[in-house]
Amino acid sequence: ASAEPGIQTDQPFAAARDALVRRFERDYLTALLREADGRVGEVARRAGLNPRSVYTMMRAHRLRKETFKSTRNRPATRLPG
């Protein structure tokens, strides 16, 4: 019998569950950070977490808010010349 997609049956239950939770956390944070243009306070509000918890999770997944900031809200930079 084949396992459901994303379910690792070749590992003990706890290891498979932990891997699944880590993947979910990373995907969830990535989506929220993208939607919120990297604004951690907004991510925290939408997720129902405090910002410190969001930063802790971001660190664990090596995510940086700067990666998710869009350029559409930044002032245009002028090139010299």
Side-chain angles (χ1 to χ4, degrees):
S2 64
E4 295 293 320
I7 304 298
Q8 299 175 2
T9 57
D10 61 338
Q11 297 179 345
F13 175 82
R17 179 190 58 211
D18 291 347
L20 194 61
V21 168
R22 284 190 56 76
R23 205 170 356 197
F24 166 77
E25 281 181 1
R26 182 177 177 80
D27 291 350
Y28 185 78
L29 281 176
T30 298
L32 283 180
L33 283 161
R34 197 172 287 127
E35 291 172 11
D37 279 338
R39 295 187 317 266
V40 174
E42 179 64 14
V43 170
R45 185 189 67 74
R46 291 184 188 188
L49 299 168
N50 66 52
R52 176 170 267 151
S53 295
V54 173
Y55 275 115
T56 299
M57 290 170 50
M58 287 172 62
R59 227 177 358 265
H61 294 286
R62 295 187 173 128
L63 297 173
R64 294 174 37 110
K65 65 181 180 179
E66 294 81 12
T67 305
F68 300 95
K69 292 196 182 285
S70 72
T71 57
R72 67 175 177 245
N73 296 327
R74 292 186 199 152
T77 55
R78 301 189 70 179
L79 296 176

